[in-house]
Amino acid sequence: MTSPGPQNEAQNGRQAPDGRPDLARSPWSRRGQGTARRLRAPVIKLHPRRSPGSPSRRRARSLLLVTDAAAILLAMVATTGPATVAGWAYAGCVLASLTVSGAYRPRISLQVLSEVPALMTRLGLPALLCAPFALVGLEQLALLQLLATAPALCAARAAAYGSIRLARRKGILRETTLVVGAGPVALELARLMRQRPEYGLEPIGFLDAPSTDGSLPLPYLGPVSHLESVLRRFDVQRVVVAFGRVREADWVSIMRTAVVNDVEIHVVPRFFDIGMSPAGSGTDQIWGIPLHRVRRSVLHSAAWRAKRGFDVVLAGGTLLLSLPLLGLIAVAVRLSSPGPILFRQCRIGQDGRQFDLLKFRSMRTDHDGASSWTATAEHQTTIGRWLRRTSLDELPQLWNVIRGDMSLVGPRPERPLFAERFSADIAGYRDRHRLPVGLTGWAQVHGLRGDDTSLTERARFDNFYIESWTLWLDIVILLRTVGAVIRMAVGMQRHRRDGPAIQGLATADRWVDETVTSRFQEARNNHGG
């Protein structure tokens, strides 16, 4: 889709009289017209940790997986025997169901009975999938296997949880924990972590706004702006966010910085003591104080690793299928005006990295695309105007996707000059660089594209996409993008077909208005005479 446009005056704050960003006031505007330089404005970067995740969580996850597998196999052997296809199929489906649903993510508070309803659901879905085998007579003991697996799995979980709690008390499975906030709730949480070693949390100190109160039971590690350095210095595995003197505006930066560093984050919900705490699989508790687990960064999820393969397969297939169209567009661009067929421009990608974005040339060669914000009609070629309206000028970016510069779906990339300016002036804009940029995005399918839409709203939509990403959301955005392109093409055809008729109707309306007005004026004058 077409590259994003400027912020309006109320949202951007500083603009030239013609409505474009006021680059003359920007301290970096004299460095050169779009030269390839790295962003000075800080962007959230993904710093690889020495070992992804927590070693304690990996050991606990492995123990749960082994005990669950042993319980499921024992139940299968006891009911259906080891030689039945349906028995093995059900056992495999149960393990897959437990893995996909997050059952191997060790909780802080380990309680088997509270997890029984969720475990029964994870056992029932595989039974439904394997039910056809029982209906055709291949296996008549599927129900018996289900009934035997449920108590065996609960018993295995009880034994595994007991082992994990014992290892936590002995200091074997402990996780370095940072408390953000230094208010009464934060102090109580730190006290409970030290008094209750079965939770496996080892608090190292507090981050909060500076205070003159020196009565903290653990070290004060600085303000929240030091979060990333503290995470890396102490190799923090969990962050518990409690009430403190941190400004509300700083919470978003705290969360996003911790999430991209592969740290588990738990937030104490506000007003939890009057029953307004959330419920569900993402909730936990420390001795009666509820915690809400923040979703991990999509960069660390298993589904995200499939996104790259999805991008390469779909972009490569689309590129091959569209070769005839690409050839026709290339010929049209060559014949439309002097200059190259492809237009290369430096853009900012993930973590502030720069790359050359490819597009079909839609502007005349005398247009300065590196520092000029708006693409005025007088600089556009005839074929370029059509390409921009249909977004077909973006097709060469499929090669950027295959190369790994971009993804099919993600925040749209911007030029260095504007990206640096917007990162400094617009809240949340720099956070867009946490993920690879895309050919289309969540903001674009909501109509936030072109020269006259809000950058603040685009940053909001882009960050919503990052926080809520799923592979299905990518598919939805691609389908909506195709629909938008088709609607634009149909609209252009309808405009060309109905344009003369509409113009004739407008002329007739003006003639009627002028005639009626003149007659009315004439009658009023005669009456007055």
Side-chain angles (χ1 to χ4, degrees), residues 186-469:
L187 298 181
E188 178 66 10
L189 283 170
R191 183 186 69 83
L192 291 172
M193 292 178 198
R194 300 173 73 180
Q195 289 184 355
R196 301 279 175 180
E198 65 268 20
Y199 292 130
L201 304 179
E202 184 177 354
I204 59 169
F206 300 93
L207 280 186
D208 202 348
S211 173
T212 57
D213 185 5
S215 60
L216 296 177
L218 292 171
Y220 171 72
L221 302 178
V224 294
S225 59
H226 295 173
L227 175 61
E228 186 168 6
S229 61
V230 170
L231 293 180
R232 299 179 63 80
R233 177 184 175 187
F234 295 97
D235 196 23
V236 175
Q237 280 97 40
R238 287 188 190 263
V239 172
V240 177
V241 180
F243 307 123
R245 292 175 296 276
V246 181
R247 296 187 307 118
E248 293 289 342
D250 295 332
W251 286 118
V252 174
S253 177
I254 292 172
M255 302 297 181
R256 290 173 178 170
T257 300
V259 165
V260 298
N261 281 275
D262 198 16
V263 176
E264 292 283 352
I265 308 175
H266 302 271
V267 180
V268 179
R270 293 190 180 275
F271 306 111
F272 70 88
D273 45 359
I274 58 173
M276 295 185 65
S277 58
S281 60
T283 59
D284 217 315
Q285 61 96 20
I286 296 179
W287 204 244
I289 299 179
L291 301 176
H292 180 71
R293 178 180 172 273
V294 177
R295 187 186 184 203
R296 296 182 67 203
S297 170
V298 297
L299 289 169
H300 305 295
S301 65
W304 180 259
R305 289 187 277 273
K307 180 180 172 70
R308 177 59 185 160
F310 176 78
D311 284 343
V312 172
V313 171
L314 189 56
T318 305
L319 196 60
L320 289 176
L321 293 175
S322 60
L323 281 178
L325 176 61
L326 294 173
L328 292 175
I329 295 176
V331 173
V333 171
R334 171 65 74 182
L335 296 177
S336 64
S337 66
I341 295 174
L342 292 178
F343 172 69
R344 299 173 183 268
Q345 190 176 69
C346 181
R347 296 291 178 100
I348 299 298
Q350 184 182 14
D351 293 337
R353 291 191 295 267
Q354 299 184 358
F355 67 97
D356 288 331
L357 179 136
L358 301 177
K359 298 176 68 173
F360 280 121
R361 183 175 58 84
S362 61
M363 312 292 289
R364 297 203 304 267
T365 54
D366 59 347
H367 176 68
D368 184 11
S371 60
S372 177
W373 180 254
T374 57
T376 56
E378 58 267 19
H379 288 101
Q380 298 177 12
T381 64
T382 303
I383 186 65
R385 192 174 300 109
W386 178 78
L387 290 175
R388 294 174 69 88
R389 288 177 180 174
T390 59
S391 297
L392 292 177
D393 60 328
E394 314 282 355
L395 281 178
Q397 291 169 38
L398 292 171
W399 180 246
N400 287 116
V401 175
I402 294 175
R403 288 180 53 186
D405 299 328
M406 301 172 61
S407 175
L408 285 174
V409 179
R412 285 294 293 160
E414 192 46 81
R415 288 156 286 182
L417 186 65
F418 296 106
E420 186 175 4
R421 162 69 185 278
F422 298 151
S423 295
D425 290 353
I426 299 173
Y429 191 89
R430 68 185 182 95
D431 297 339
R432 301 166 66 253
H433 299 103
R434 290 175 288 163
L435 294 187
V437 294
L439 183 64
T440 184
W442 190 236
Q444 282 66 46
V445 299
H446 282 85
L448 297 173
R449 56 190 297 268
D451 296 339
D452 56 353
T453 56
S454 167
L455 282 171
T456 299
E457 292 180 358
R458 268 182 269 177
R460 184 189 308 141
F461 273 85
D462 288 335
N463 285 310
F464 175 86
Y465 164 79
I466 294 173
E467 307 293 350
S468 309
W469 178 86

Side-chain angles (χ1 to χ4, degrees), residues 93-159:
C93 289
V94 168
L95 283 176
S97 175
L98 292 171
T99 303
V100 172
S101 61
Y104 296 116
R105 184 185 303 117
R107 300 167 60 89
I108 296 176
S109 178
L110 302 175
Q111 298 175 349
V112 177
L113 293 179
S114 62
E115 296 182 12
V116 168
L119 289 176
M120 294 303 101
T121 301
R122 292 158 181 165
L123 293 179
L125 181 60
L128 293 177
L129 295 176
C130 296
F133 293 98
L135 292 177
V136 299
L138 294 178
E139 184 54 64
Q140 299 297 329
L141 299 178
L143 179 60
L144 183 60
Q145 184 179 358
L146 170 63
L147 296 177
T149 302
L153 188 61
C154 291
R157 280 290 169 123

